[in-house]
Amino acid sequence: LISEQYKMLRTNILAMNKTRTHKVLVFTSSIHSEGKTITTLNLAVSVAHATHHPKVLLIDADMRRGRVAKYLGVTHDVGLSDVLQGKAQLEDALFKIDIDNLTFMAAGSVPENPAELLDSNTMKGIMADLKRQYDFIFIDTPPIIAVTDAGILGAHADGVIMIIQAGRTQRGIVKRASELLHQCHARVLGHILTNIEYHLPQYIYRYL
């Protein structure tokens, strides 16, 4: 059932591309522990498995406490921060994992100035280069209320998708997060609600 939900999200994202190109998508949340990183990772895998085999790049842009590598079960010492600081080449940070059509870029070593690095001309150049190589770029970022990283990247992306945990995140917090993204000129394309428990209608069981 969970897999089907991600396929539905994939369908929505691919459908958006038919009316307007949404190649670079930033994923954020209002606060920590809303299921943002797991949602971004699973959605990237689902899109990579689409029938037309798009090339997908998943970037962990949480250079403060990146967790995507841990969830993937991989170790890669070179990441985004290292490229931005001139310590590594872009090609060295691109890690081909054991999932067809999906490439991963880790967060890298923890820098002193993550926001400044993300807002640099170097970052803009990297993104321009990557957009020529991949069909979709999914960027996992820290919660927008905690730091400005998501807003910085969202302003230069095709759109932002917010992750909200049901039964935990208050409406006022979500509203404030949306306001912060708007102030950064980031376009919120939609929201994904996690941690939902619901009753399955009887007719659905025919398809399980």
Side-chain angles (χ1 to χ4, degrees):
L1 180 62
I2 293 176
S3 176
E4 289 303 316
Q5 298 303 309
Y6 280 109
K7 289 179 182 178
M8 291 174 62
L9 290 169
R10 177 185 69 191
T11 299
N12 292 338
I13 287 177
L14 296 178
M16 287 191 303
N17 262 29
K18 294 181 180 179
T19 56
R20 177 178 175 179
T21 301
H22 294 92
K23 173 171 282 195
V24 182
L25 298 177
V26 168
F27 291 80
T28 190
S29 59
S30 304
I31 54 179
H32 285 292
S33 303
E34 295 195 74
K36 169 184 58 62
T37 299
I38 288 293
T39 299
T40 307
L41 170 57
N42 285 332
L43 190 52
V45 173
S46 182
V47 171
H49 286 168
T51 54
H52 63 290
H53 307 300
K55 292 179 63 178
V56 180
L57 173 63
L58 173 61
I59 301 177
D60 188 346
D62 189 345
M63 294 186 286
R64 294 171 172 83
R65 47 182 297 183
R67 295 184 174 182
V68 179
K70 175 183 176 181
Y71 292 147
L72 282 171
V74 299
T75 301
H76 194 57
D77 296 332
V78 179
L80 177 61
S81 66
D82 305 298
V83 178
L84 289 173
Q85 295 176 93
K87 298 179 180 179
Q89 298 297 314
L90 177 59
E91 294 74 18
D92 298 329
L94 297 174
F95 184 67
K96 194 70 180 72
I97 59 178
D98 193 24
I99 298 175
D100 291 341
N101 309 314
L102 181 61
T103 303
F104 170 58
M105 183 186 293
S109 56
V110 180
E112 295 181 358
N113 54 342
E116 288 75 10
L117 290 175
L118 293 175
D119 200 26
S120 65
N121 289 328
T122 302
M123 183 64 185
K124 295 180 179 68
I126 289 173
M127 291 308 303
D129 191 5
L130 293 173
K131 287 172 71 173
R132 290 190 289 267
Q133 299 182 46
Y134 295 92
D135 299 309
F136 287 96
I137 301 174
F138 288 1
I139 307 177
D140 184 46
T141 65
I144 183 63
I145 287 183
V147 291
T148 61
D149 300 14
I152 292 170
L153 290 174
H156 302 289
D158 296 311
V160 177
I161 295 178
M162 281 189 60
I163 313 301
I164 304 169
Q165 186 179 100
R168 176 172 179 261
T169 313
Q170 299 177 355
R171 289 176 180 267
I173 294 176
V174 175
K175 181 179 179 181
R176 177 55 181 161
S178 299
E179 290 172 348
L180 289 172
L181 289 169
H182 179 72
Q183 290 171 10
C184 295
H185 305 288
R187 180 169 179 252
V188 178
L189 299 176
H191 304 77
I192 296 176
L193 202 60
T194 63
N195 198 37
I196 299 177
E197 295 182 9
Y198 55 88
H199 171 70
L200 289 176
Q202 191 66 34
Y203 69 86
I204 288 183
Y205 287 109
R206 291 180 302 178
Y207 300 96
L208 298 181

